[in-house]
Amino acid sequence: MKYCNQCGGTVQSVIPNGDTNLRFVCTACEFIHYENPKIVVGTVPIHNNEVLLCLRAIEPRKNFWTLPAGFLENGESLAEGAIRESQEEALFTPLLGPMLAIVDVVHANQVHIFFRAGLTDNSFGPGVESLDVKMFSLDDIPWDEMAFKTGKIALKAQIEKEKND
Amino acid sequence: MKYCNQCGGTVQSVIPNGDTNLRFVCTACEFIHYENPKIVVGTVPIHNNEVLLCLRAIEPRKNFWTLPAGFLENGESLAEGAIRESQEEALFTPLLGPMLAIVDVVHANQVHIFFRAGLTDNSFGPGVESLDVKMFSLDDIPWDEMAFKTGKIALKAQIEKEKND
């Protein structure tokens, strides 16, 4: 960040009065530009002991498998975001269950939240951000080809939950 | 938002190619400025069937009671944020328990997350954003003087949980 989005003045990184963190503050209008972690929401879509995974068509981690997930948008609930991402990336509308995993991703300034989800029918397919969408047995997850650690954590939470049910 | 924080050009609100939402996009450098919901983290500090509440010294809802809570910062986990907010607003370090409530606040583009917390001793007091800090019996919460609906939801989750323990 170099310029103030309110007045177009230049910003500098300083600790404002009464604050303890560095912020970008406008040298002209003194507006403080706060930056905060973003939320990623997704689903763990389960049907007949199989889970739906998407093969990523985009960077980062193109050609690796992932759960349907993406950034929560302004104006939507966590559940609405998880449903939308499933629709966009895997062309199905999930039946949402409880939250399975809430994972800090501190180095990326993100929090990832996954819901267990049912597939209402077997209709799904790759959205524009996916090269392929497939069901995998929970005993045969391609762990070494998974895109992100948080997806693995959510899958392991689901597998552990199945054991205890 | 009127100006691009990357190049200082003017922004306009348009739907970028391949997107479905309006974004502020720079008319000069084409940088897309995404805006996403923020996370508020807090605690429900319980000791001897009493809960700690803070009397707000600042707007919004000055002079109303609230749980210790505030915006999660970049570089911290949800738990670290909840502990920091308790230290700042009520001058104590909570012993964090499980998450009690995760509440969508769609109209404000926020998600509020509360942890149950223990008080390690009876040392607490008002931080700069609080006029007073007091313990209230769970049977005698000042419901009509509570600042925010999400705090009430978290308190009710705690009361319900005590009943079932």
Side-chain angles (χ1 to χ4, degrees):
Chain A
M1 190 184 303
K2 293 175 196 152
Y3 300 94
C4 174
N5 63 24
Q6 304 294 303
C7 80
T10 54
V11 295
Q12 60 181 4
S13 184
V14 295
I15 299 174
N17 273 342
D19 201 337
T20 51
N21 288 19
L22 282 168
R23 317 282 182 187
F24 287 113
V25 179
C26 182
T27 56
C29 74
E30 298 182 352
F31 189 85
I32 303 169
H33 299 81
Y34 293 98
E35 295 180 292
N36 301 86
K38 291 182 194 293
I39 302 169
V40 167
V41 280
T43 56
V44 182
I46 300 286
H47 189 63
N48 289 339
N49 213 38
E50 294 185 322
V51 63
L52 178 149
L53 296 177
C54 306
L55 189 64
R56 287 176 63 81
I58 54 171
E59 297 294 352
R61 303 293 275 161
K62 186 176 170 179
N63 279 309
F64 283 78
W65 293 96
T66 189
L67 292 163
F71 287 112
L72 184 67
E73 297 278 4
N74 280 352
E76 67 186 4
S77 66
L78 293 168
E80 286 166 349
I83 290 169
R84 177 186 48 73
E85 288 291 341
S86 303
Q87 291 168 333
E88 288 178 5
E89 298 189 355
L91 308 180
F92 80 103
T93 298
L95 196 63
L96 282 206
M99 281 183 203
L100 265 178
I102 301 165
V103 189
D104 293 300
V105 190
V106 174
H107 70 274
N109 298 319
Q110 295 175 2
V111 175
H112 291 201
I113 299 178
F114 290 92
F115 291 84
R116 191 193 193 289
L119 297 166
T120 45
D121 55 37
N122 262 321
S123 152
F124 56 80
V128 290
E129 293 181 11
S130 305
L131 294 168
D132 195 5
V133 174
K134 270 172 42 180
M135 300 298 295
F136 290 85
S137 163
L138 287 177
D139 301 324
D140 197 25
I141 306 280
W143 294 110
D144 294 338
E145 297 158 52
M146 289 291 295
F148 304 114
K149 195 173 168 185
T150 56
K152 291 198 217 182
I153 292 170
L155 279 171
K156 283 174 183 170
Q158 170 59 28
I159 289 167
E160 205 54 39
K161 201 161 175 286
E162 295 261 328
K163 277 190 210 159
N164 295 326
D165 274 353
Chain B
M1 191 184 302
K2 292 176 194 151
Y3 299 93
C4 175
N5 61 25
Q6 304 294 304
C7 80
T10 55
V11 296
Q12 59 181 4
S13 184
V14 296
I15 299 174
N17 273 343
D19 201 337
T20 51
N21 287 21
L22 283 168
R23 315 282 182 190
F24 287 111
V25 179
C26 181
T27 56
C29 74
E30 298 183 351
F31 189 85
I32 304 169
H33 299 80
Y34 293 97
E35 295 181 293
N36 300 85
K38 291 182 196 291
I39 301 169
V40 168
V41 280
T43 56
V44 181
I46 300 286
H47 188 65
N48 289 340
N49 213 39
E50 292 186 323
V51 63
L52 177 150
L53 296 177
C54 305
L55 191 63
R56 288 177 62 81
I58 54 171
E59 297 294 350
R61 304 293 275 160
K62 186 176 168 179
N63 279 310
F64 284 78
W65 293 96
T66 189
L67 292 163
F71 288 111
L72 183 67
E73 297 278 4
N74 280 352
E76 67 185 4
S77 66
L78 293 167
E80 286 166 349
I83 290 169
R84 177 185 49 74
E85 287 292 340
S86 303
Q87 291 168 334
E88 288 178 5
E89 298 188 356
L91 307 181
F92 79 104
T93 298
L95 195 64
L96 281 205
M99 281 183 202
L100 263 179
I102 300 166
V103 190
D104 293 301
V105 190
V106 174
H107 71 273
N109 298 318
Q110 294 174 2
V111 174
H112 291 201
I113 298 178
F114 289 93
F115 292 82
R116 190 194 194 289
L119 296 167
T120 46
D121 55 39
N122 263 323
S123 150
F124 56 80
V128 289
E129 293 182 11
S130 306
L131 293 169
D132 195 6
V133 173
K134 270 175 36 183
M135 300 298 296
F136 290 85
S137 164
L138 287 176
D139 301 324
D140 197 25
I141 307 279
W143 294 110
D144 294 339
E145 297 158 51
M146 289 292 294
F148 304 114
K149 196 174 169 183
T150 57
K152 292 197 218 181
I153 291 170
L155 278 172
K156 284 176 182 168
Q158 170 60 27
I159 290 166
E160 204 54 40
K161 200 161 175 289
E162 298 262 328
K163 276 191 212 160
N164 294 324
D165 276 351

